[in-house]
Amino acid sequence: MTPPLSRRGALIAGAAALAGGLAPTAGAEAALRLPMATRPRFSALSPLQRAGQCVIHSYPGLTPPASLMDAIKQGHTAGVIFFGENIQNLSQIEGVINAMKAAHASSPVKAPLLLMTDQEGGMIRRLPGEPVKSARDVGASADPHYWADFTGSGAGLNLAGVGMNVNLAPVLDVYRANGDFTDQYERSYSKSAAAVASCGADFITAQQREGVAATAKHFPGLGPATASQNTDLRSVTIATSAATLRSVDEAPYRDAIAAGVKLVMLSWAIYTGLDSARPAGLSPTVVGELRNRLGFKGVTVTDALEAGALSSYGSTSQRAVKAAAAGMDLLLCSARSVSQGDEAVAALADALGDSLDPTAFDAAAARVNALRAGL
Protein backbone atom coordinates (compact mmCIF):
# COMPACT_ATOMS: atom_id res chain seq x y z
CA MET A 1 0.00 0.00 0.00
CA THR A 2 1.38 3.38 -0.98
CA PRO A 3 1.65 5.78 1.98
CA PRO A 4 -0.42 8.96 1.56
CA LEU A 5 2.44 11.39 2.26
CA SER A 6 3.78 13.07 -0.87
CA ARG A 7 7.51 13.34 -1.48
CA ARG A 8 7.48 17.12 -1.29
CA GLY A 9 5.22 17.04 1.73
CA ALA A 10 7.72 14.82 3.48
CA LEU A 11 10.38 17.52 3.46
CA ILE A 12 10.44 19.83 6.44
CA ALA A 13 8.63 23.11 6.00
CA GLY A 14 10.13 25.32 3.37
CA ALA A 15 12.58 22.86 1.85
CA ALA A 16 10.50 22.07 -1.21
CA ALA A 17 9.94 25.76 -1.89
CA LEU A 18 13.70 26.17 -2.25
CA ALA A 19 13.97 23.40 -4.83
CA GLY A 20 13.72 23.88 -8.55
CA GLY A 21 16.75 26.02 -9.28
CA LEU A 22 18.91 23.07 -10.26
CA ALA A 23 18.46 21.32 -13.57
CA PRO A 24 18.56 17.51 -13.71
CA THR A 25 22.02 16.02 -13.83
CA ALA A 26 23.28 15.34 -17.34
CA GLY A 27 25.62 12.50 -18.21
CA ALA A 28 29.32 13.04 -18.67
CA GLU A 29 28.88 12.70 -22.43
CA ALA A 30 26.32 15.50 -22.46
CA ALA A 31 28.53 17.58 -20.21
CA LEU A 32 31.39 17.31 -22.65
CA ARG A 33 29.12 18.71 -25.36
CA LEU A 34 28.48 21.88 -23.33
CA PRO A 35 30.06 25.15 -24.48
CA MET A 36 33.82 25.32 -24.17
CA ALA A 37 33.44 28.23 -21.73
CA THR A 38 32.24 25.78 -19.08
CA ARG A 39 35.29 23.55 -19.49
CA PRO A 40 38.75 24.65 -18.37
CA ARG A 41 41.75 24.31 -20.64
CA PHE A 42 44.16 22.76 -18.18
CA SER A 43 47.12 24.27 -20.03
CA ALA A 44 45.72 27.71 -19.21
CA LEU A 45 45.52 27.04 -15.48
CA SER A 46 48.24 27.64 -12.91
CA PRO A 47 49.66 24.54 -11.18
CA LEU A 48 47.54 25.23 -8.06
CA GLN A 49 44.40 25.76 -10.16
CA ARG A 50 45.08 22.58 -12.09
CA ALA A 51 45.59 20.60 -8.88
CA GLY A 52 42.55 22.18 -7.23
CA GLN A 53 40.24 20.55 -9.78
CA CYS A 54 40.64 17.29 -7.85
CA VAL A 55 40.29 18.44 -4.22
CA ILE A 56 37.24 18.99 -1.99
CA HIS A 57 37.70 21.36 0.95
CA SER A 58 35.96 21.58 4.33
CA TYR A 59 35.80 24.17 7.09
CA PRO A 60 34.87 24.52 10.78
CA GLY A 61 31.79 26.20 12.22
CA LEU A 62 28.95 28.13 10.61
CA THR A 63 30.93 30.74 8.68
CA PRO A 64 33.39 29.80 5.91
CA PRO A 65 36.82 31.33 6.62
CA ALA A 66 38.18 33.97 4.27
CA SER A 67 40.88 31.51 3.22
CA LEU A 68 38.25 29.14 1.82
CA MET A 69 36.44 31.91 -0.03
CA ASP A 70 39.79 32.96 -1.51
CA ALA A 71 40.50 29.38 -2.62
CA ILE A 72 37.11 29.34 -4.34
CA LYS A 73 37.74 32.68 -6.07
CA GLN A 74 41.18 31.59 -7.23
CA GLY A 75 40.00 28.25 -8.62
CA HIS A 76 42.04 26.26 -6.10
CA THR A 77 39.23 23.86 -5.17
CA ALA A 78 36.64 21.69 -6.88
CA GLY A 79 34.11 22.21 -4.10
CA VAL A 80 33.15 21.88 -0.45
CA ILE A 81 31.78 19.17 1.84
CA PHE A 82 29.38 20.28 4.59
CA PHE A 83 28.92 18.75 8.04
CA GLY A 84 26.44 19.25 10.85
CA GLU A 85 28.64 21.87 12.50
CA ASN A 86 28.35 23.99 9.33
CA ILE A 87 24.55 23.92 9.28
CA GLN A 88 22.29 25.85 11.65
CA ASN A 89 19.16 25.62 9.51
CA LEU A 90 18.17 25.52 5.85
CA SER A 91 18.13 29.27 5.28
CA GLN A 92 21.54 29.73 6.91
CA ILE A 93 23.29 27.09 4.79
CA GLU A 94 21.53 28.33 1.66
CA GLY A 95 23.01 31.76 2.39
CA VAL A 96 26.49 30.26 2.81
CA ILE A 97 26.16 28.37 -0.46
CA ASN A 98 24.98 31.47 -2.29
CA ALA A 99 28.05 33.35 -0.99
CA MET A 100 30.29 30.53 -2.23
CA LYS A 101 28.65 30.63 -5.64
CA ALA A 102 29.17 34.39 -5.78
CA ALA A 103 32.85 33.94 -4.92
CA HIS A 104 33.12 31.23 -7.56
CA ALA A 105 31.97 33.70 -10.22
CA SER A 106 35.53 35.11 -10.11
CA SER A 107 37.14 31.71 -10.64
CA PRO A 108 38.86 30.86 -13.93
CA VAL A 109 37.04 27.52 -13.78
CA LYS A 110 33.45 28.18 -14.74
CA ALA A 111 31.92 24.74 -14.14
CA PRO A 112 29.82 24.75 -10.94
CA LEU A 113 31.39 23.94 -7.59
CA LEU A 114 30.69 20.48 -6.18
CA LEU A 115 28.71 21.21 -3.00
CA MET A 116 28.17 18.00 -1.09
CA THR A 117 27.20 16.34 2.15
CA ASP A 118 26.33 12.93 3.66
CA GLN A 119 22.53 12.75 3.54
CA GLU A 120 22.13 8.98 3.72
CA GLY A 121 18.98 8.88 5.82
CA GLY A 122 18.09 7.88 9.36
CA MET A 123 20.96 8.59 11.74
CA ILE A 124 23.33 9.82 9.03
CA ARG A 125 21.96 13.19 7.95
CA ARG A 126 23.58 16.63 7.93
CA LEU A 127 20.49 18.58 6.86
CA PRO A 128 17.19 18.48 8.73
CA GLY A 129 14.45 16.67 6.84
CA GLU A 130 14.44 13.90 4.29
CA PRO A 131 15.40 11.14 4.09
CA VAL A 132 14.06 10.32 7.56
CA LYS A 133 13.98 6.58 6.98
CA SER A 134 17.33 4.79 7.23
CA ALA A 135 18.54 2.30 4.63
CA ARG A 136 17.68 -0.49 7.07
CA ASP A 137 14.13 0.89 7.41
CA VAL A 138 13.79 0.96 3.65
CA GLY A 139 15.08 -2.56 3.15
CA ALA A 140 12.84 -3.96 5.89
CA SER A 141 9.71 -2.15 4.70
CA ALA A 142 6.76 -3.80 3.01
CA ASP A 143 7.58 -1.90 -0.19
CA PRO A 144 11.36 -1.34 -0.50
CA HIS A 145 11.05 -0.14 -4.10
CA TYR A 146 8.64 2.63 -3.12
CA TRP A 147 10.64 3.73 -0.10
CA ALA A 148 14.00 3.65 -1.88
CA ASP A 149 12.52 5.90 -4.55
CA PHE A 150 10.88 8.09 -1.90
CA THR A 151 14.06 8.56 0.14
CA GLY A 152 16.20 9.17 -2.94
CA SER A 153 13.80 11.79 -4.20
CA GLY A 154 13.57 13.35 -0.73
CA ALA A 155 17.35 13.55 -0.43
CA GLY A 156 17.59 15.17 -3.85
CA LEU A 157 14.90 17.74 -3.16
CA ASN A 158 16.36 18.58 0.23
CA LEU A 159 19.90 19.11 -1.03
CA ALA A 160 18.89 20.89 -4.24
CA GLY A 161 16.66 23.14 -2.18
CA VAL A 162 19.65 24.73 -0.46
CA GLY A 163 21.91 24.65 -3.52
CA MET A 164 23.90 21.46 -2.93
CA ASN A 165 24.46 19.20 -5.91
CA VAL A 166 26.19 16.03 -4.66
CA ASN A 167 25.10 13.53 -2.02
CA LEU A 168 27.64 11.05 -0.63
CA ALA A 169 24.97 8.34 -0.68
CA PRO A 170 23.71 5.66 -1.01
CA VAL A 171 25.68 3.10 0.99
CA LEU A 172 25.83 -0.18 -0.98
CA ASP A 173 27.50 -2.27 1.72
CA VAL A 174 25.92 -5.72 2.09
CA TYR A 175 26.07 -6.28 5.83
CA ARG A 176 26.68 -9.71 7.33
CA ALA A 177 25.61 -9.64 11.00
CA ASN A 178 23.22 -7.60 13.11
CA GLY A 179 25.09 -4.78 14.84
CA ASP A 180 28.19 -4.96 12.64
CA PHE A 181 29.94 -1.83 11.31
CA THR A 182 27.38 -0.98 8.63
CA ASP A 183 24.28 -2.23 10.42
CA GLN A 184 24.89 -0.53 13.77
CA TYR A 185 24.03 2.84 12.20
CA GLU A 186 21.30 1.32 9.99
CA ARG A 187 23.28 2.21 6.86
CA SER A 188 22.75 -1.02 4.91
CA TYR A 189 19.60 -1.99 3.07
CA SER A 190 19.99 -5.72 3.56
CA LYS A 191 22.12 -8.84 4.01
CA SER A 192 21.00 -9.71 0.47
CA ALA A 193 23.15 -8.36 -2.35
CA ALA A 194 20.16 -8.39 -4.69
CA ALA A 195 18.08 -6.32 -2.27
CA VAL A 196 20.90 -3.81 -1.76
CA ALA A 197 21.35 -3.58 -5.53
CA SER A 198 17.66 -2.94 -6.15
CA CYS A 199 17.22 -0.36 -3.37
CA GLY A 200 20.47 1.38 -4.22
CA ALA A 201 19.59 1.72 -7.89
CA ASP A 202 16.14 3.07 -7.03
CA PHE A 203 17.63 5.65 -4.62
CA ILE A 204 20.22 6.73 -7.20
CA THR A 205 17.69 7.10 -10.00
CA ALA A 206 15.24 9.07 -7.87
CA GLN A 207 17.88 11.38 -6.40
CA GLN A 208 19.61 12.14 -9.70
CA ARG A 209 16.19 12.87 -11.21
CA GLU A 210 16.13 15.85 -8.82
CA GLY A 211 19.48 17.16 -10.11
CA VAL A 212 21.72 15.88 -7.29
CA ALA A 213 24.55 13.50 -8.18
CA ALA A 214 24.65 10.26 -6.19
CA THR A 215 27.72 8.54 -4.74
CA ALA A 216 27.76 4.77 -4.28
CA LYS A 217 29.98 3.71 -1.36
CA HIS A 218 32.21 2.10 -0.01
CA PHE A 219 33.70 0.08 -2.88
CA PRO A 220 34.38 -2.82 -2.92
CA GLY A 221 32.26 -3.04 0.23
CA LEU A 222 32.41 -2.64 4.00
CA GLY A 223 29.66 -5.19 4.55
CA PRO A 224 32.05 -7.81 5.99
CA ALA A 225 33.49 -5.34 8.55
CA THR A 226 32.81 -6.13 12.20
CA ALA A 227 31.42 -3.54 14.63
CA SER A 228 34.90 -2.40 15.66
CA GLN A 229 36.35 -2.21 12.14
CA ASN A 230 35.90 1.52 11.56
CA THR A 231 38.32 2.94 8.98
CA ASP A 232 37.75 6.45 10.36
CA LEU A 233 39.56 5.32 13.52
CA ARG A 234 42.08 2.62 12.60
CA SER A 235 43.52 0.34 9.96
CA VAL A 236 41.04 -2.31 8.83
CA THR A 237 41.85 -5.53 6.98
CA ILE A 238 39.06 -7.52 5.38
CA ALA A 239 40.00 -11.11 4.49
CA THR A 240 36.92 -11.88 2.37
CA SER A 241 37.89 -13.84 -0.73
CA ALA A 242 37.95 -12.20 -4.14
CA ALA A 243 35.21 -14.58 -5.27
CA THR A 244 32.87 -13.46 -2.47
CA LEU A 245 33.74 -9.80 -2.90
CA ARG A 246 32.85 -10.07 -6.56
CA SER A 247 29.69 -12.15 -6.20
CA VAL A 248 28.29 -10.37 -3.12
CA ASP A 249 29.91 -7.06 -2.24
CA GLU A 250 30.56 -5.70 -5.71
CA ALA A 251 27.22 -6.91 -7.10
CA PRO A 252 25.22 -3.78 -6.12
CA TYR A 253 27.72 -1.61 -7.99
CA ARG A 254 26.76 -3.24 -11.27
CA ASP A 255 23.19 -2.05 -10.80
CA ALA A 256 24.36 1.36 -9.58
CA ILE A 257 26.53 1.80 -12.68
CA ALA A 258 23.66 0.66 -14.89
CA ALA A 259 21.47 3.27 -13.14
CA GLY A 260 23.99 5.96 -14.07
CA VAL A 261 25.54 6.70 -10.69
CA LYS A 262 27.87 9.70 -11.05
CA LEU A 263 30.45 8.95 -8.34
CA VAL A 264 31.83 5.94 -6.50
CA MET A 265 33.65 6.28 -3.17
CA LEU A 266 36.33 3.72 -2.40
CA SER A 267 36.88 2.24 1.04
CA TRP A 268 40.01 2.74 3.13
CA ALA A 269 40.00 -0.93 4.21
CA ILE A 270 42.62 -3.35 2.92
CA TYR A 271 41.07 -6.27 0.98
CA THR A 272 43.48 -9.18 1.02
CA GLY A 273 41.57 -10.91 -1.77
CA LEU A 274 42.35 -8.04 -4.14
CA ASP A 275 45.41 -6.19 -2.83
CA SER A 276 46.89 -7.20 0.51
CA ALA A 277 49.36 -4.30 0.59
CA ARG A 278 47.23 -1.16 0.26
CA PRO A 279 43.85 0.29 1.25
CA ALA A 280 41.37 0.20 -1.61
CA GLY A 281 41.54 3.96 -2.24
CA LEU A 282 45.32 3.81 -2.57
CA SER A 283 45.32 0.69 -4.73
CA PRO A 284 45.54 0.84 -8.54
CA THR A 285 44.44 -2.80 -8.45
CA VAL A 286 41.16 -2.05 -6.67
CA VAL A 287 40.53 1.08 -8.73
CA GLY A 288 41.15 -1.12 -11.77
CA GLU A 289 38.59 -3.59 -10.44
CA LEU A 290 36.00 -0.81 -10.53
CA ARG A 291 37.08 0.69 -13.83
CA ASN A 292 37.98 -2.37 -15.86
CA ARG A 293 35.97 -5.22 -14.39
CA LEU A 294 32.78 -3.28 -13.66
CA GLY A 295 33.18 -0.65 -16.35
CA PHE A 296 32.66 2.48 -14.22
CA LYS A 297 33.50 5.61 -16.20
CA GLY A 298 32.40 8.28 -13.72
CA VAL A 299 34.22 10.03 -10.88
CA THR A 300 36.08 8.11 -8.20
CA VAL A 301 36.21 9.84 -4.82
CA THR A 302 38.18 9.01 -1.70
CA ASP A 303 36.76 8.60 1.74
CA ALA A 304 38.06 11.11 4.33
CA LEU A 305 41.75 11.74 3.67
CA GLU A 306 42.34 12.21 7.41
CA ALA A 307 40.99 8.74 8.30
CA GLY A 308 42.78 6.73 10.97
CA ALA A 309 43.14 3.86 8.50
CA LEU A 310 45.79 5.95 6.71
CA SER A 311 47.87 6.69 9.80
CA SER A 312 50.84 4.77 8.38
CA TYR A 313 50.65 6.48 4.99
CA GLY A 314 52.23 9.79 5.89
CA SER A 315 50.99 13.36 5.86
CA THR A 316 48.04 14.83 4.00
CA SER A 317 50.45 15.71 1.21
CA GLN A 318 51.72 12.14 0.91
CA ARG A 319 48.26 10.62 1.12
CA ALA A 320 46.93 12.98 -1.54
CA VAL A 321 49.65 12.09 -4.01
CA LYS A 322 49.31 8.35 -3.34
CA ALA A 323 45.53 8.51 -3.87
CA ALA A 324 45.83 10.46 -7.10
CA ALA A 325 48.52 8.08 -8.35
CA ALA A 326 46.22 5.13 -7.60
CA GLY A 327 43.50 6.55 -9.84
CA MET A 328 41.33 8.56 -7.47
CA ASP A 329 39.78 11.51 -9.29
CA LEU A 330 38.53 13.51 -6.31
CA LEU A 331 40.19 13.79 -2.89
CA LEU A 332 37.99 14.42 0.14
CA CYS A 333 39.69 16.70 2.67
CA SER A 334 37.04 16.59 5.36
CA ALA A 335 38.90 17.40 8.60
CA ARG A 336 37.05 20.76 8.84
CA SER A 337 40.31 22.53 8.17
CA VAL A 338 40.85 24.69 5.11
CA SER A 339 44.60 24.18 5.44
CA GLN A 340 44.15 20.42 4.94
CA GLY A 341 42.65 21.01 1.51
CA ASP A 342 45.28 23.62 0.70
CA GLU A 343 48.02 21.16 1.65
CA ALA A 344 46.58 18.53 -0.68
CA VAL A 345 46.35 21.03 -3.54
CA ALA A 346 49.95 22.17 -3.04
CA ALA A 347 51.20 18.58 -2.92
CA LEU A 348 49.40 17.64 -6.13
CA ALA A 349 50.73 20.75 -7.87
CA ASP A 350 54.28 19.87 -6.84
CA ALA A 351 53.88 16.21 -7.82
CA LEU A 352 52.58 17.09 -11.28
CA GLY A 353 56.09 18.17 -12.11
CA ASP A 354 57.58 15.01 -10.69
CA SER A 355 55.89 11.80 -9.53
CA LEU A 356 52.35 12.14 -10.92
CA ASP A 357 51.57 11.29 -14.52
CA PRO A 358 50.21 14.60 -15.89
CA THR A 359 48.17 12.91 -18.62
CA ALA A 360 46.40 10.61 -16.14
CA PHE A 361 45.86 13.49 -13.72
CA ASP A 362 44.32 15.70 -16.40
CA ALA A 363 42.04 12.81 -17.40
CA ALA A 364 40.88 12.62 -13.78
CA ALA A 365 40.32 16.37 -13.68
CA ALA A 366 38.40 16.13 -16.94
CA ARG A 367 36.05 13.54 -15.42
CA VAL A 368 35.48 15.80 -12.43
CA ASN A 369 34.81 18.78 -14.65
CA ALA A 370 32.44 16.79 -16.86
CA LEU A 371 30.49 15.98 -13.69
CA ARG A 372 30.53 19.64 -12.63
CA ALA A 373 29.47 20.92 -16.04
CA GLY A 374 26.50 18.55 -16.02
CA LEU A 375 25.07 19.85 -12.74
Side-chain angles (χ1 to χ4, degrees):
M1 177 178 173
T2 301
L5 190 63
S6 72
R7 288 178 177 80
R8 291 181 184 269
L11 296 177
I12 67 174
L18 297 173
L22 194 64
T25 302
E29 296 83 0
L32 290 171
R33 292 195 296 270
L34 292 176
M36 285 298 296
T38 67
R39 291 189 276 146
R41 288 180 298 110
F42 297 120
S43 61
L45 300 180
S46 73
L48 289 176
Q49 289 166 343
R50 188 178 171 200
Q53 304 316 297
C54 293
V55 175
I56 296 294
H57 277 68
S58 62
Y59 66 97
L62 296 175
T63 303
S67 58
L68 176 57
M69 302 306 278
D70 287 343
I72 291 171
K73 290 176 185 176
Q74 293 166 9
H76 292 176
T77 185
V80 179
I81 180 172
F82 300 95
F83 291 90
E85 71 177 84
N86 306 130
I87 301 168
Q88 186 174 55
N89 52 50
L90 293 177
S91 60
Q92 172 267 335
I93 195 60
E94 184 189 21
V96 167
I97 288 171
N98 286 339
M100 289 180 175
K101 290 179 177 179
H104 179 62
S106 302
S107 171
V109 181
K110 299 306 178 186
L113 290 169
L114 297 174
L115 300 166
M116 62 184 64
T117 195
D118 295 274
Q119 193 76 359
E120 296 175 14
M123 288 184 258
I124 312 298
R125 290 179 294 159
R126 312 305 186 196
L127 286 171
E130 286 294 323
V132 174
K133 278 185 178 289
S134 68
R136 184 208 278 173
D137 292 335
V138 170
S141 69
D143 191 347
H145 170 78
Y146 171 85
W147 283 110
D149 183 89
F150 183 98
T151 52
S153 179
L157 287 167
N158 203 355
L159 270 62
V162 297
M164 295 186 197
N165 54 16
V166 177
N167 190 8
L168 298 176
V171 170
L172 297 186
D173 298 337
V174 182
Y175 83 101
R176 302 302 205 268
N178 295 345
D180 66 13
F181 172 72
T182 306
D183 182 59
Q184 63 185 322
Y185 298 108
E186 302 183 4
R187 301 174 76 192
S188 175
Y189 290 110
S190 178
K191 295 178 183 177
S192 159
V196 172
S198 176
C199 289
D202 288 341
F203 184 102
I204 288 162
T205 300
Q207 179 181 276
Q208 293 189 162
R209 190 169 58 226
E210 305 300 341
V212 175
T215 307
K217 63 185 185 185
H218 311 80
F219 186 85
L222 284 173
T226 65
S228 64
Q229 287 186 303
N230 184 346
T231 58
D232 286 345
L233 303 178
R234 60 184 62 86
S235 177
V236 171
T237 297
I238 292 176
T240 304
S241 69
T244 300
L245 287 171
R246 288 168 175 163
S247 63
V248 176
D249 299 284
E250 294 182 12
Y253 289 89
R254 293 189 180 280
D255 290 61
I257 292 166
V261 69
K262 303 298 181 185
L263 304 96
V264 171
M265 177 183 287
L266 276 77
S267 161
W268 284 140
I270 294 171
Y271 296 82
T272 58
L274 299 175
D275 182 344
S276 61
R278 292 165 289 196
L282 300 183
S283 169
T285 301
V286 180
V287 176
E289 183 90 355
L290 175 64
R291 291 285 191 207
N292 303 323
R293 190 169 180 279
L294 274 67
F296 180 62
K297 301 190 185 308
V299 171
T300 54
V301 58
T302 70
D303 205 338
L305 208 62
E306 69 278 5
L310 301 187
S311 59
S312 63
Y313 290 89
S315 64
T316 292
S317 296
Q318 292 167 316
R319 297 174 189 188
V321 172
K322 289 178 188 294
M328 300 306 298
D329 298 335
L330 200 56
L331 311 183
L332 199 59
C333 295
S334 52
R336 277 75 116 193
S337 166
V338 177
S339 63
Q340 181 201 25
D342 291 345
E343 185 179 339
V345 170
L348 293 176
D350 288 344
L352 277 168
D354 184 17
S355 59
L356 277 181
D357 177 354
T359 301
F361 185 86
D362 285 350
R367 284 188 291 271
V368 173
N369 275 281
L371 169 67
R372 294 170 64 179
L375 295 173

